[in-house]
Amino acid sequence: MEKIVIVGSANTDLIVWADRIPSPGETVLGGEFRIVSGGKGANQAVAVARLGGDALFVARIGTDLFGDELMARYTAEKMDTSHVVRDSQAPTGVALITVDNSAENCIVVAPGANARLSRKDIDDVRPELAKAGYLLIQLEIPLETVEYAIQTAAELGVRVILNPAPAAQIDEKYLKYVYLLTPNESECALLTGRPVLNGTDAAGQAGDPWQSTSPAAAETLLNKGVKNVIVTCGSRGALVKNADTCAVVPACRVSAVDTTAAGDVFNGALTVALAEGLPLLDAARFATHAAALSVTRIGAQSSIPTRREVDDARFANNGRSADRMTTL
């Protein structure tokens, strides 16, 4: 098992459920309230650790009570927290979330210490990064830090998995350092400037349920220097594309109750599978099973399955999926 370094955000989510989201200036009496651990980086780090990966998390949290709670949770997950910095100059990142009866939400995020994750933090972890097999990173921290981490990892011979979420434009010159890019459909469209949902630019033939997903958008990313692309498409599965393969890995059929952090679980599981030496398609199948289990549960980190749960789900499905292959 190769070590996985995860660089990213760590938040505390404050969630209130209410009949409706208030209008400006209005106060609405809410119902249930929860404080839960979140942040895309932390979600992916917990997924890596819970699924059996050797996880080292690089992040910044405050010296406040929220930071104390997050650190305790990370320690309980048995991840390496030696590079989770307790920042006395900024509070722990917080997301204020209101959810209405229709599951629509309104979110305001105060990045706090996340905004102070810097090049120095990447330099500090360089000795450990040099021994790692993979760097897993997202875009919920300063882009300058993301780009520096990508270049540093590539220079050290570490394979970079970039989950370009939340959607943002990154300098294209860094894409050549990316081993695997994992956008969803809207993120892929932003990065390529071309529609991903396009029936005339299809992954299959007429009548194919995947005819609305365009491998040409993924091809555009390959032409920018990315080695491998997986476009996640929710209930329609994932499109896996590199120089040799274009395949659709179907989603598992489950009764979804909450899709929060499903993408983070997919990325964490995918990286664990690759670090264990699985080929890309098999790793995508493993990640699909993990993400499917997560959407059957409420919450972000609380929804992440264990390794045994994912293995049991895979064996129940004979460990296989009916991938649809295509060529361009």
Side-chain angles (χ1 to χ4, degrees):
M1 163 67 74
E2 296 179 287
K3 179 180 286 293
I4 300 166
V5 175
I6 306 96
V7 176
S9 56
N11 289 330
T12 295
D13 296 344
L14 308 180
I15 310 172
V16 175
W17 280 263
D19 290 339
R20 58 188 176 83
I21 295 172
S23 300
E26 181 185 21
T27 298
V28 171
L29 186 63
E32 184 180 358
F33 170 70
R34 290 187 189 179
I35 301 177
V36 299
S37 302
K40 296 193 69 62
N43 293 344
Q44 294 183 14
V46 170
V48 168
R50 199 172 292 176
L51 291 167
D54 184 1
L56 188 160
F57 187 32
V58 180
R60 279 186 174 260
I61 57 178
T63 56
D64 47 28
L65 291 177
F66 288 150
D68 293 343
E69 178 64 22
L70 291 183
M71 185 62 82
R73 288 180 180 272
Y74 302 156
T75 301
E77 295 290 348
K78 296 181 172 57
M79 68 174 73
D80 185 340
T81 59
S82 59
H83 287 272
V84 177
V85 177
R86 302 301 300 272
D87 193 328
S88 62
Q89 302 301 308
T92 299
V94 172
L96 306 177
I97 306 171
T98 303
V99 183
D100 69 15
N101 285 339
S102 301
E104 295 294 332
N105 59 44
C106 177
I107 304 174
V108 177
V109 177
N114 292 309
R116 290 169 51 82
L117 195 63
S118 68
R119 294 164 64 107
K120 181 180 183 304
D121 295 303
I122 306 305
D123 288 337
D124 288 345
V125 80
R126 187 183 180 98
E128 290 88 347
L129 182 59
K131 302 173 186 176
Y134 290 89
L135 168 70
L136 176 59
I137 194 165
Q138 328 74 33
L139 303 182
E140 215 169 41
I141 55 174
L143 280 178
E144 177 186 3
T145 305
V146 172
E147 292 167 349
Y148 184 68
I150 289 172
Q151 183 170 351
T152 299
E155 290 172 351
L156 294 171
V158 178
R159 286 155 289 188
V160 176
I161 298 178
L162 172 60
N163 176 220
Q169 284 286 6
I170 63 174
D171 192 325
E172 288 189 2
K173 71 181 182 182
Y174 293 99
L175 293 179
K176 65 183 178 183
Y177 300 123
V178 175
Y179 172 76
L180 173 58
L181 191 70
T182 62
N184 63 22
E185 291 169 301
S186 61
E187 292 155 1
C188 186
L190 176 66
L191 290 171
T192 61
R194 63 184 305 158
V196 176
L197 296 177
N198 181 350
T200 64
D201 196 3
Q205 299 176 359
D208 189 301
W210 268 84
Q211 66 175 343
S212 61
T213 300
S214 167
E219 183 74 17
T220 298
L221 293 170
L222 296 179
N223 291 337
K224 293 177 184 293
V226 177
K227 308 299 186 297
N228 304 278
V229 177
I230 297 181
V231 183
T232 57
C233 303
S235 62
R236 292 187 297 113
L239 176 68
V240 181
K241 185 79 178 74
N242 58 28
D244 303 315
T245 302
C246 184
V248 172
V249 176
C252 302
R253 293 186 178 181
V254 295
S255 297
V257 297
D258 184 0
T259 60
T260 302
D264 295 331
V265 174
F266 182 94
N267 278 275
L270 179 70
T271 310
V272 168
L274 290 171
E276 290 181 351
L278 286 182
L280 186 60
L281 272 176
D282 289 337
R285 295 185 190 106
F286 177 83
T288 296
H289 279 90
L293 285 174
S294 76
V295 304
T296 65
R297 304 165 181 176
I298 297 292
Q301 291 170 26
S302 59
S303 73
I304 300 171
T306 64
R307 178 57 178 264
R308 181 172 181 176
E309 289 172 327
V310 177
D311 286 342
D312 286 348
R314 293 170 67 212
F315 293 143
N317 194 40
N318 296 319
R320 296 176 296 179
S321 60
D323 302 342
R324 182 177 298 276
M325 309 293 293
T326 187
T327 56
L328 295 176

